[in-house]
Amino acid sequence: MKEIIKKQNSYIFIIILSFISKINYTDNIYYLGVKYITTFRAIDIMYSIIFTFLFFKVFLDNYYYYVLNRNNIIVRIGRKNYNIYILKKILLNSVLLFIINIISDFIMIGTTNFMYILINIILTTLLVSILPKKKEYDYELVVIMIISILTKLLVYNLIV
């Protein structure tokens, strides 16, 4: 039974996403447009998801390899040095994301919103830190992106 559910995860995600979309888009025509065709709002959502993915990809490219190989690295450099090394990786990537977003926002729109940048970077850093550390990396990224996007929506609604 568990194997059948695991193989059919995409269907479950489609049902969940359809339910969430119907809650967000009460108008049937707009719901169908977002789900099957596309609208400008759907394109905005896709861009947002791509940005969220890229935030996580920065960490996955520069940090996750060292976490997956932690046993080998700990044997070579020791647990204390490994923890310091991982902390440096997390902080370096967070600072670089912060600086790059400040510069790109300032160049593109002439201003920056530190609150949005900080919330995104802190949320991404926390979620990557709690991300399951195993080599069978199936749907963890999808789940963590959903958590991230839902958290961002909640925080945005509280701020605005």
Side-chain angles (χ1 to χ4, degrees):
M1 179 69 177
K2 186 177 180 182
E3 195 63 35
I4 293 172
I5 291 174
K6 188 174 182 179
K7 286 183 179 181
Q8 306 305 327
N9 279 350
S10 297
Y11 297 115
I12 295 169
F13 285 132
I14 289 172
I15 292 168
I16 292 170
L17 187 60
S18 296
F19 180 71
I20 292 171
S21 296
K22 182 58 182 162
I23 290 171
N24 286 335
Y25 311 113
T26 55
D27 183 21
N28 290 340
I29 293 173
Y30 200 76
Y31 165 78
L32 294 172
V34 168
K35 186 171 180 182
Y36 297 110
I37 305 170
T38 195
T39 62
F40 288 112
R41 189 168 185 185
I43 292 171
D44 293 343
I45 292 169
M46 286 187 276
Y47 273 120
S48 179
I49 291 171
I50 290 170
F51 276 115
T52 302
F53 170 75
L54 290 174
F55 269 67
F56 285 113
K57 186 159 174 26
V58 165
F59 283 98
L60 295 177
D61 288 347
N62 298 307
Y63 159 79
Y64 204 67
Y65 170 79
Y66 300 103
V67 173
L68 287 178
N69 294 308
R70 71 179 164 266
N71 293 335
N72 297 335
I73 297 170
I74 289 173
V75 167
R76 285 186 287 156
I77 65 174
R79 183 170 297 281
K80 181 180 176 186
N81 288 336
Y82 171 78
N83 289 335
I84 292 170
Y85 184 74
I86 291 297
L87 186 62
K88 284 181 186 176
K89 282 282 187 193
I90 291 172
L91 291 175
L92 176 67
N93 289 314
S94 298
V95 168
L96 285 175
L97 270 174
F98 185 74
I99 291 170
I100 288 171
N101 282 301
I102 286 175
I103 292 171
S104 66
D105 288 353
F106 188 75
I107 289 172
M108 299 293 171
I109 61 174
T111 186
T112 58
N113 190 329
F114 292 106
M115 185 85 139
Y116 289 157
I117 296 171
L118 279 175
I119 289 170
N120 277 307
I121 291 173
I122 290 171
L123 178 66
T124 303
T125 303
L126 287 175
L127 289 175
V128 165
S129 298
I130 1 181
L131 184 69
K133 297 358 182 230
K134 59 182 182 178
K135 293 186 182 192
E136 306 87 32
Y137 190 71
D138 290 338
Y139 290 105
E140 285 86 356
L141 182 61
V142 173
V143 170
I144 215 153
M145 283 182 59
I146 291 170
I147 292 169
S148 172
I149 291 169
L150 291 175
T151 306
K152 287 178 185 182
L153 284 171
L154 289 173
V155 169
Y156 178 75
N157 286 331
L158 291 175
I159 292 173
V160 175

